[in-house]
Structures are given as C-alpha cells and as structure tokens.
Amino acid sequence: IYDVYADPQTFVRELIQNALDASRCQLYAKLRDDGIDPPEYTTQVSEERRAQFPIRVSLSRHEIINPLSGELEFQQILAVEDVGFGMDAEIIERYLLQVGRSYYTTDEFRRQYRFVPCSRFGVGFLSVFAVSDEVVIDTCKANGIGDSAIRLTLTGPRSYLLREKGQRHSRGTCVSVTLREPFEPGSFTRLVLGWCKRVEFPIQVNDLGNVTTVNSETPEQFTCEIPDVTEEGATLAVRAFPYNNAGVRG
C-alpha cells in the first residue's frame, strides 16, 4: 500500500477515477437503451446527457466517542459518490476485493464498451488504507430492484469484512473513508480542482460546507483578442480551431 503511492492523498484521485469509469459505463448503457450507438469518446456525447451523471465528492466533520478514553473527538469523513453502473456481489468478490484484478481489463468489458478506462491495474482502491482504518461502500446495481443494494464495511486490508444489505435505492456507488489525519482548510478543493480540469462529467465538491462545481475546461476560456502594444491599431488574437479526425479529437 505504502510503496505503490508516494503521496497518501492519491487515494482521492483513485476514488474519483473509479467513479468516472463507472459513470462512463452507465452513460454508454443508457445510450444503447435509447437506441443510440455510443461514440468512440464519451466527450462526444452531448453535454446535456453527460450532466445526468454528476460525481459528488465531499469532506465532512463528524463527532465520535473514543472507545478507549470515552472522550468526544472529531474526525473527517471523505466520500465519493457516483450514479454509475454500481456493483453486485460478483463484481465485488471477483474484482474489488482482489489485488491486481480489474474488471476493466476483462473481455466482458471490452465487448461492451469502447472507451479506455482510467482504472486498469486493480490496485488503486488499496490506497484508501494508507489513510484510513474504516471504509464503507454503499452500492446498488439496479434501481430499487430486490436485494441489489449492498453495504460493505472494511477495517483495513484484512481477509474479512462486514457485508450487509444496503439502504441505497438508486443505481451507483458511494465510498466513505474515515480519515486518520484531517485535510487542511481548502486543500481538498484544490486537489480536486487540479485533477478534474478536463473530465467530461461535472464534479460537485463539498469541502466542509463550501460547495464548488468543477466543469471541464473549454477553448473559450483561453481565446482572447487584446491590443498589440508594439503596433498602433493592431490586435493580438488567440483562437481555437476544433478538429475531429478518426482517433484524434481536440
């Protein structure tokens, strides 16, 4: 766990990448259900459709009773939630809880989806245990159908866990991580802003009550026309020319 990632805060990026891949899978599944052939890149899907799959990341402060001293203490809980395709018991047992095994490298994934996933090596989830001794996963693969909601409580990378029926009624996954050490004020938002400038889904950040929505950068943010100080009446222009060729898009 400690050798794979030099920066313990990397676990936030890993959880967001998992949420992005799950959202991409569900977006493509929804397109097929609507009779639309999914494009090569998820960024080619309309913004209106992509906006239906926001990813919510939050940092909150909770009161707890120390089981040893009995004193009141405060801990931060970091949560990453998506409305992606969710997990069932088979995916949890075969991939999430197996080191070095990833659903995104299987033939099953490649037959159904065209995009290149972020999650590929099956070790990223382990990074949560570099910062936490308690991780709770609430997931649901089918909206309110039967017993599809599952809750897992993981107390470190051990060979046992608590699995129970979950209370989630909508498709998706929420991973809640109880942190050993708190984030400094504002640092959580800065991390997410730095990593998510070009993702195709909106990222909603709640940093101890301060809410920010991260949207993908657009060419309009970087185009401009300003006076040229070296020549009277001239201007200096920065323009963008979109292109969309096979295998290359920008």
Side-chain angles (χ1 to χ4, degrees):
I1 294 169
Y2 294 97
D3 292 342
V4 173
Y5 299 104
D7 184 355
Q9 294 180 336
T10 301
F11 83 98
V12 182
R13 185 189 66 201
E14 295 295 331
L15 293 180
I16 292 175
Q17 287 179 340
N18 290 344
L20 286 168
D21 284 336
S23 300
R24 289 162 181 150
C25 288
Q26 188 56 35
L27 171 63
Y28 273 25
K30 183 69 168 60
L31 289 173
R32 286 195 293 267
D33 289 344
D34 293 342
I36 301 172
D37 184 34
E40 184 175 1
Y41 304 107
T42 49
T43 50
Q44 293 172 297
V45 179
S46 70
E47 183 178 355
E48 181 182 5
R49 282 184 175 271
R50 287 185 278 117
Q52 297 173 17
F53 297 89
I55 293 168
R56 298 177 176 88
V57 293
S58 64
L59 184 67
S60 54
R61 191 166 178 258
H62 294 256
E63 294 181 353
I64 64 165
I65 302 295
N66 187 303
L68 298 178
S69 67
E71 296 181 353
L72 185 66
E73 296 180 352
F74 293 93
Q75 281 186 312
Q76 288 183 354
I77 295 180
L78 189 150
V80 177
E81 182 178 10
D82 63 68
V83 290
F85 72 162
M87 294 182 286
D88 56 19
E90 181 182 7
I91 290 178
I92 290 169
E93 293 168 8
R94 291 180 61 186
Y95 302 111
L96 178 70
L97 301 180
Q98 300 295 327
V99 178
R101 295 187 64 187
S102 172
Y103 168 72
Y104 297 104
T105 62
T106 64
D107 291 337
E108 179 185 356
F109 170 80
R110 285 190 285 264
R111 281 194 296 267
Q112 294 190 64
Y113 305 103
R114 300 175 63 184
F115 70 89
V116 178
C118 298
S119 312
R120 307 172 84 174
F121 304 110
V123 295
F125 182 72
L126 285 175
S127 61
V128 298
F129 297 118
V131 298
S132 175
D133 297 311
E134 181 177 351
V135 180
V136 177
I137 302 171
D138 283 293
T139 188
C140 181
K141 193 166 175 61
N143 286 328
I145 299 176
D147 297 326
S148 64
I150 297 173
R151 166 169 281 203
L152 294 177
T153 302
L154 308 173
T155 53
R158 301 183 174 92
S159 59
Y160 60 87
L161 55 94
L162 174 63
R163 172 179 158 186
E164 54 192 323
K165 183 177 179 180
Q167 300 301 312
R168 189 180 179 96
H169 298 294
S170 58
R171 182 183 283 109
T173 300
C174 181
V175 181
S176 301
V177 181
T178 301
L179 303 177
R180 296 192 200 105
E181 301 294 333
F183 275 88
E184 294 295 327
S187 62
F188 176 60
T189 299
R190 287 193 296 272
L191 273 180
V192 180
L193 284 170
W195 284 326
C196 299
K197 291 179 179 179
R198 296 180 181 89
V199 300
E200 68 272 37
F201 300 105
I203 311 288
Q204 298 175 0
V205 185
N206 187 329
D207 187 348
L208 299 174
N210 297 314
V211 180
T212 305
T213 299
V214 185
N215 291 301
S216 179
E217 291 179 338
T218 64
E220 289 73 26
Q221 293 173 249
F222 303 95
T223 56
C224 62
E225 188 164 334
I226 59 176
D228 184 349
V229 296
T230 64
E231 186 175 346
E232 186 177 354
T235 58
L236 175 67
V238 179
R239 295 179 179 142
F241 300 90
Y243 56 90
N244 189 5
N245 298 325
V248 183
R249 185 169 182 265

